[in-house]
Amino acid sequence: KITNYLLITAAVCLHNFIKTEEATESPQNRFFCPPGFADCGYEDNGARRREGLSEGLVPMQRRSVAAQDRLLKQRRETLADYFVGCGAVGWQNDHVDMNSDF
């Protein structure tokens, strides 16, 4: 049974993963949380506060189907490597073994 706790935990794990991976990108290539977007310290000074909700989204870039396919496969492999490596949690293999009838 999925609980609010598990959903929030999954969201935090994905957030931390994206922030960690994106830290290796140059600032102009960061889409998830560019420099200055979030608040700093205890001050309400992040750029997100000056942007409207609809303006906070990054416009989609046009890509060829082949380029999209390569990008998605690369991201899937990056996530898979993370979740079977340093992002693994103790219970995940037990859960996979329980549901091995797929």
Side-chain angles (χ1 to χ4, degrees), residues 13 25 68:
C13 287
E25 296 288 333
Q68 286 178 336

Side-chain angles (χ1 to χ4, degrees), residues 26-69:
S26 61
Q28 65 270 19
N29 289 332
R30 295 179 189 166
F31 293 109
F32 183 67
C33 190
F37 186 73
D39 294 340
C40 183
Y42 294 104
E43 298 180 30
D44 296 339
N45 57 5
R48 70 177 184 86
R49 295 182 180 276
R50 294 184 297 275
E51 297 179 7
L53 291 177
S54 63
E55 296 170 5
L57 300 175
V58 175
M60 297 293 291
Q61 298 175 357
R62 287 193 153 268
R63 299 175 195 252
S64 69
V65 172
Q68 286 178 336
D69 191 46

Side-chain angles (χ1 to χ4, degrees), residues 18-31 35 74:
I18 293 170
K19 289 285 290 174
T20 301
E21 288 296 309
E22 200 171 62
T24 63
E25 296 288 333
S26 61
Q28 65 270 19
N29 289 332
R30 295 179 189 166
F31 293 109
Q74 177 187 8

Side-chain angles (χ1 to χ4, degrees), residues 83-84 88-100:
F83 286 116
V84 297
V89 292
W91 51 264
Q92 72 187 29
N93 290 334
D94 294 336
H95 186 72
V96 170
D97 292 341
M98 286 184 342
N99 295 301
S100 61

